[in-house]
Amino acid sequence: MLTEFRNTLRRSRGAIIGWGLSLGALGYFMMGFYDTLVEQRSSLEQLLANYPPEFMAFFGSTEDMFSPAGYLSVEFFALMPVVLGIFAVTAGSSLITGDEEGGILDLVMSYPVNRSSLFFGRLLGFAVTLAAILGITWLAFIGGVAASEGMDIPPVELMRPFINLYAVIFLFGTASVLLSMLMPSRSIAAMLAGMLMVASYFIQSLSTINDDLKRIADFLPLKYYQSGYALEGLNGDWLVGLFGFGLLFAVLAWALFLRRDIRVSGEGNWRLPFRLSFGKK
Amino acid sequence: MSDTAILTQALTKNYGRVQALRGVDLEVNQGEIFGFLGPNGAGKTTTIRCMLDLIRPNSGTLRLLGLNPQSDPVTVRAKVGYLPGELAFEGNVTVEGTLRYLASLRGNTMDWNFVRQLAERLELDLKPQFKNLSKGNKQKVGVVQALMHRPELLLLDEPTSGLDPLIQQEVLKLIREARTAGATVFFSSHILNEVEEMAERVAIIRKGVVVETAEVNSLMRRSVRRAHIHFEQAVEVNGLKNIQGVTILSRAATSINLQIEGGMDALIKSLAKYPVRDFETERPSLEEIFMAYYEEK
């Protein structure tokens, strides 16, 4: 398990550095604009009032975007489940089936490694990769807060929305791992997980202005995502729920992996029960 | 400890509606080199992958070194060295990095000097990244990783595929050395001369069923052979037609071509009354025998 964990981390180091530094740089510079934003509050409020509510719905509540929590939500955390979610679903779908489709798993699984060790070693590597990306970003945020005059958030409080964000992207990641065990190929699993994630984002965002969508949004993970408002305190039940479903998806994926035929070159793929044909007969 | 290294009984495997294995029966003794023959899609790789619990058979019995790979896959794999038909690995890792990672999956228990020795004998450079290797060099990595822990059982899927003739010979030498050290070798191959040269016994698989298992020598003895007989003068050879197992393929005034099934004794005795100048027999290659199974059965 330790070998697979280390190997997964080694393979993810580029992603950790790339995503971590990019998001960190974004966060750091974003903090610098907070003071300016507060200074120009009245003109910005006027500007925001002119935007259609359908557009503003995607930024969360803008009523208090001049508070640190509101600002972090609108400028960063509202979009992050989708931005970092793209990494999570791509990495999640590749966690097992990437190597399987590349023929690497065929060799690795011929070694004395049991399936559970391989699965959980990789899953742990994936979980730590996500934590490392958010950890680097959090450190950059701490730097940004220190450089800002108007922001005064202790590092531990600043960690809260990152924990909340971690729970959501971990859930998207494990859902993608599960789909990769169910779908005929890694790319279909990633596509489906990505579609579910984006649809979830749209429905949750628009549910703030549409009552019909509210009922659907209750079943979506982003409903239980607090965004930047987690600064004011984490909702323990929601957090446990998000982590709980993330772990449930991981356990289901593991159970499927235990029973799985390791594929090579498309061997053992299931197919659609009908033929898709375009144009030619 | 069981004397049987590999035992499969009525092994079946379906991929949806496709029956890849339709009841494979095999028994490979410990310490022997066993060739597994069959064209693409016959079920060779599927059988080997069932042995390693990479895929699960639908029914049948499977034992490797007396162990059930499904209930005890880690112990089985610890004793086995496997060379897949096409070796793939992470492209950005060097050959040495690849071998060190694979060694770590075995708990780093092998002698690294032996690994270097194997690499040297196969003229494998450990420094390049895996993605920059030619097919032949990837195959060498595959051979090294299969042998590096001195396994009790070698499962080799086309071991010399993509290698130049000199390295092919070195690989065959390494396989023989592994056998001498006590390993059992089970290998599939398309290169029938190689199987003929290496294997003591072979199994021929066709459409998911083993159609023949035999010692290579006996398979060749049992098979049809051809004889070309030249006489000192024109003769009437009608008498040869009545010998059991002998078929006249063609004849000329002073020569005749025959096909003989089974023993030669009756033919040689009958020829005693003819003025024979020359007698040539042609032993069929394993390839011809193999092809005969595919054409006739």
Coordinates of all heavy atoms in Angstrom, one line a residue, chain B residues 131-173:
Chain B
K131 N 9.7 5.6 -22.2 CA 9.1 6.1 -23.5 C 10.0 6.1 -24.6 O 9.6 6.1 -25.8 CB 8.4 7.4 -23.3 CG 9.3 8.6 -23.0 CD 8.6 9.9 -22.8 CE 9.6 11.0 -22.4 NZ 8.9 12.1 -21.8
N132 N 11.3 6.2 -24.4 CA 12.3 6.3 -25.5 C 12.8 4.9 -25.9 O 13.7 4.9 -26.8 CB 13.5 7.2 -25.0 CG 13.0 8.6 -24.8 OD1 12.1 9.1 -25.5 ND2 13.7 9.3 -23.9
L133 N 12.3 3.9 -25.3 CA 12.8 2.5 -25.7 C 12.1 2.0 -26.9 O 11.0 2.3 -27.2 CB 12.5 1.6 -24.5 CG 13.2 1.8 -23.2 CD1 12.8 0.7 -22.2 CD2 14.7 1.9 -23.3
S134 N 12.9 1.2 -27.7 CA 12.3 0.5 -28.8 C 11.5 -0.6 -28.3 O 11.6 -1.0 -27.1 CB 13.4 0.0 -29.7 OG 14.2 -0.9 -29.0
K135 N 10.7 -1.3 -29.2 CA 9.9 -2.4 -28.8 C 10.8 -3.5 -28.2 O 10.5 -4.1 -27.2 CB 9.1 -2.9 -30.0 CG 8.2 -4.1 -29.6 CD 7.4 -4.6 -30.8 CE 6.6 -5.8 -30.6 NZ 6.6 -6.5 -29.4
G136 N 12.0 -3.7 -28.9 CA 12.9 -4.8 -28.4 C 13.4 -4.5 -27.0 O 13.5 -5.4 -26.2
N137 N 13.8 -3.2 -26.8 CA 14.3 -2.9 -25.5 C 13.2 -3.0 -24.4 O 13.5 -3.3 -23.3 CB 15.0 -1.5 -25.5 CG 16.4 -1.5 -26.1 OD1 17.1 -2.5 -25.8 ND2 16.7 -0.5 -26.8
K138 N 12.0 -2.6 -24.8 CA 10.9 -2.8 -23.8 C 10.7 -4.3 -23.4 O 10.5 -4.6 -22.3 CB 9.6 -2.3 -24.4 CG 9.5 -0.7 -24.3 CD 8.2 -0.3 -24.9 CE 8.2 1.3 -25.0 NZ 7.1 1.8 -25.8
Q139 N 10.9 -5.1 -24.5 CA 10.8 -6.5 -24.2 C 11.9 -7.0 -23.3 O 11.7 -7.9 -22.4 CB 10.9 -7.3 -25.6 CG 10.6 -8.7 -25.5 CD 9.1 -9.1 -25.3 OE1 8.3 -8.2 -25.2 NE2 8.8 -10.3 -25.1
K140 N 13.1 -6.4 -23.4 CA 14.2 -6.8 -22.5 C 13.9 -6.4 -21.1 O 14.1 -7.2 -20.2 CB 15.5 -6.1 -23.0 CG 16.1 -6.5 -24.3 CD 17.3 -5.7 -24.6 CE 17.8 -5.9 -26.0 NZ 18.9 -5.0 -26.4
V141 N 13.3 -5.2 -20.9 CA 12.8 -4.8 -19.5 C 11.9 -5.9 -19.0 O 11.9 -6.3 -17.8 CB 12.2 -3.4 -19.6 CG1 11.7 -3.1 -18.2 CG2 13.1 -2.4 -20.1
G142 N 11.0 -6.3 -19.9 CA 10.0 -7.3 -19.5 C 10.6 -8.6 -19.0 O 10.2 -9.2 -18.0
V143 N 11.6 -9.0 -19.8 CA 12.3 -10.3 -19.5 C 13.1 -10.1 -18.1 O 13.0 -11.0 -17.3 CB 13.3 -10.7 -20.6 CG1 14.2 -11.9 -20.2 CG2 12.5 -11.0 -21.9
V144 N 13.7 -9.0 -17.9 CA 14.5 -8.8 -16.7 C 13.5 -8.8 -15.5 O 13.8 -9.5 -14.5 CB 15.3 -7.5 -16.8 CG1 15.9 -7.1 -15.4 CG2 16.4 -7.5 -17.8
Q145 N 12.4 -8.1 -15.6 CA 11.5 -8.0 -14.5 C 10.9 -9.3 -14.2 O 10.5 -9.6 -13.0 CB 10.5 -6.9 -14.6 CG 9.5 -7.0 -15.8 CD 8.3 -7.9 -15.5 OE1 7.9 -8.1 -14.4 NE2 7.9 -8.6 -16.5
A146 N 10.7 -10.2 -15.2 CA 10.1 -11.5 -14.9 C 11.1 -12.4 -14.3 O 10.7 -13.3 -13.5 CB 9.6 -12.1 -16.3
L147 N 12.4 -12.2 -14.5 CA 13.4 -13.2 -14.0 C 14.1 -12.7 -12.7 O 14.7 -13.5 -12.0 CB 14.5 -13.4 -15.0 CG 14.1 -14.2 -16.3 CD1 15.1 -14.1 -17.4 CD2 13.9 -15.7 -15.9
M148 N 14.0 -11.4 -12.4 CA 14.8 -10.8 -11.4 C 14.7 -11.3 -10.0 O 15.6 -11.2 -9.2 CB 14.7 -9.2 -11.5 CG 13.4 -8.7 -11.0 SD 13.5 -6.9 -11.2 CE 11.9 -6.4 -10.6
H149 N 13.6 -11.9 -9.7 CA 13.4 -12.4 -8.3 C 13.5 -13.9 -8.3 O 13.1 -14.5 -7.3 CB 12.0 -12.0 -7.8 CG 10.9 -12.4 -8.6 ND1 10.7 -12.0 -9.9 CD2 9.8 -13.3 -8.4 CE1 9.6 -12.6 -10.4 NE2 9.1 -13.3 -9.5
R150 N 14.1 -14.5 -9.3 CA 14.3 -16.0 -9.4 C 13.0 -16.7 -9.1 O 12.9 -17.4 -8.1 CB 15.4 -16.4 -8.5 CG 16.8 -15.7 -8.8 CD 17.8 -16.2 -7.8 NE 18.9 -15.3 -7.7 CZ 20.0 -15.4 -8.4 NH1 20.2 -16.3 -9.3 NH2 21.0 -14.5 -8.2
P151 N 12.0 -16.5 -9.9 CA 10.7 -17.1 -9.6 C 10.6 -18.6 -9.7 O 11.5 -19.2 -10.4 CB 9.7 -16.5 -10.6 CG 10.6 -16.2 -11.8 CD 11.9 -15.8 -11.2
E152 N 9.7 -19.2 -9.0 CA 9.5 -20.7 -9.1 C 8.8 -21.0 -10.4 O 8.9 -22.1 -10.9 CB 8.6 -21.2 -8.0 CG 9.3 -21.3 -6.7 CD 8.4 -21.7 -5.5 OE1 7.6 -22.6 -5.7 OE2 8.5 -21.1 -4.5
L153 N 8.0 -20.1 -10.9 CA 7.2 -20.4 -12.1 C 7.3 -19.1 -13.0 O 7.0 -18.0 -12.6 CB 5.7 -20.7 -11.7 CG 4.7 -20.8 -12.8 CD1 5.0 -21.9 -13.8 CD2 3.3 -21.0 -12.3
L154 N 7.6 -19.4 -14.3 CA 7.7 -18.3 -15.2 C 6.5 -18.4 -16.2 O 6.3 -19.5 -16.8 CB 9.0 -18.4 -16.0 CG 10.2 -17.7 -15.4 CD1 11.5 -18.2 -16.0 CD2 10.1 -16.2 -15.5
L155 N 5.7 -17.4 -16.3 CA 4.6 -17.3 -17.3 C 5.0 -16.3 -18.3 O 5.0 -15.1 -18.0 CB 3.3 -16.9 -16.6 CG 2.8 -17.8 -15.5 CD1 1.5 -17.3 -14.9 CD2 2.5 -19.2 -16.0
L156 N 5.3 -16.7 -19.5 CA 5.9 -15.8 -20.5 C 5.0 -15.8 -21.7 O 4.8 -16.9 -22.4 CB 7.3 -16.3 -20.9 CG 8.3 -16.5 -19.7 CD1 9.6 -17.2 -20.2 CD2 8.6 -15.2 -19.0
D157 N 4.5 -14.6 -22.1 CA 3.7 -14.5 -23.2 C 4.5 -13.9 -24.4 O 4.9 -12.8 -24.3 CB 2.5 -13.5 -22.9 CG 1.3 -13.6 -23.8 OD1 1.5 -14.4 -24.8 OD2 0.3 -13.0 -23.5
E158 N 4.9 -14.8 -25.3 CA 5.8 -14.4 -26.4 C 7.1 -13.8 -25.9 O 7.4 -12.6 -26.2 CB 5.0 -13.4 -27.3 CG 3.7 -13.8 -27.8 CD 3.7 -14.7 -29.0 OE1 4.8 -14.9 -29.6 OE2 2.7 -15.4 -29.3
P159 N 7.9 -14.6 -25.3 CA 9.1 -14.0 -24.6 C 10.1 -13.3 -25.6 O 10.8 -12.4 -25.2 CB 9.7 -15.2 -23.9 CG 9.2 -16.4 -24.5 CD 7.8 -16.0 -25.0
T160 N 10.2 -13.8 -26.8 CA 11.3 -13.2 -27.7 C 10.7 -12.3 -28.7 O 11.4 -11.9 -29.6 CB 12.0 -14.4 -28.4 OG1 11.1 -15.1 -29.1 CG2 12.8 -15.3 -27.4
S161 N 9.5 -11.9 -28.6 CA 8.8 -11.0 -29.5 C 9.6 -9.7 -29.6 O 9.9 -9.0 -28.6 CB 7.4 -10.8 -29.1 OG 6.8 -9.7 -29.7
G162 N 9.9 -9.3 -30.8 CA 10.6 -8.0 -31.0 C 12.1 -8.0 -30.8 O 12.7 -6.9 -30.9
L163 N 12.7 -9.1 -30.4 CA 14.1 -9.1 -30.1 C 14.9 -9.6 -31.3 O 14.4 -10.4 -32.2 CB 14.4 -10.1 -29.0 CG 13.7 -9.8 -27.6 CD1 14.0 -10.9 -26.6 CD2 14.3 -8.5 -27.1
D164 N 16.2 -9.1 -31.4 CA 17.0 -9.5 -32.6 C 17.5 -11.0 -32.3 O 17.5 -11.4 -31.1 CB 18.1 -8.5 -32.8 CG 19.1 -8.5 -31.7 OD1 19.7 -9.6 -31.3 OD2 19.4 -7.4 -31.1
P165 N 17.9 -11.7 -33.3 CA 18.2 -13.1 -33.1 C 19.3 -13.4 -32.0 O 19.1 -14.4 -31.3 CB 18.8 -13.5 -34.5 CG 18.2 -12.5 -35.5 CD 18.0 -11.3 -34.7
L166 N 20.3 -12.5 -31.9 CA 21.3 -12.8 -30.9 C 20.7 -12.7 -29.5 O 20.9 -13.5 -28.6 CB 22.4 -11.8 -31.0 CG 23.4 -12.0 -32.2 CD1 24.4 -10.9 -32.3 CD2 24.0 -13.4 -32.1
I167 N 19.9 -11.6 -29.3 CA 19.3 -11.5 -27.9 C 18.2 -12.5 -27.7 O 18.0 -13.0 -26.6 CB 18.7 -10.0 -27.8 CG1 19.7 -9.0 -28.0 CG2 18.0 -9.8 -26.5 CD1 20.8 -8.9 -26.9
Q168 N 17.5 -12.9 -28.8 CA 16.6 -14.1 -28.7 C 17.3 -15.3 -28.1 O 16.8 -15.9 -27.2 CB 16.0 -14.4 -30.0 CG 14.8 -13.7 -30.4 CD 14.3 -14.1 -31.8 OE1 14.5 -15.3 -32.2 NE2 13.5 -13.3 -32.5
Q169 N 18.5 -15.6 -28.6 CA 19.2 -16.7 -28.1 C 19.6 -16.6 -26.6 O 19.5 -17.5 -25.9 CB 20.5 -17.0 -29.0 CG 20.2 -17.6 -30.3 CD 19.3 -18.8 -30.2 OE1 19.6 -19.7 -29.4 NE2 18.2 -18.9 -31.0
E170 N 19.9 -15.3 -26.3 CA 20.3 -15.1 -24.9 C 19.1 -15.2 -24.0 O 19.2 -15.8 -22.9 CB 20.9 -13.6 -24.8 CG 21.6 -13.3 -23.5 CD 22.8 -14.2 -23.3 OE1 23.5 -14.6 -24.2 OE2 23.1 -14.5 -22.1
V171 N 17.9 -14.8 -24.4 CA 16.7 -14.9 -23.6 C 16.4 -16.4 -23.4 O 16.1 -16.9 -22.3 CB 15.5 -14.2 -24.3 CG1 14.2 -14.6 -23.6 CG2 15.7 -12.7 -24.2
L172 N 16.5 -17.2 -24.5 CA 16.3 -18.6 -24.4 C 17.3 -19.3 -23.4 O 16.9 -20.2 -22.7 CB 16.3 -19.3 -25.8 CG 15.3 -18.8 -26.8 CD1 15.4 -19.5 -28.1 CD2 13.9 -18.9 -26.3
K173 N 18.5 -18.8 -23.5 CA 19.5 -19.3 -22.6 C 19.1 -19.0 -21.1 O 19.2 -19.9 -20.2 CB 20.9 -18.6 -22.9 CG 22.1 -19.5 -22.6 CD 23.3 -18.8 -23.2 CE 24.5 -19.1 -22.4 NZ 25.6 -18.3 -22.8

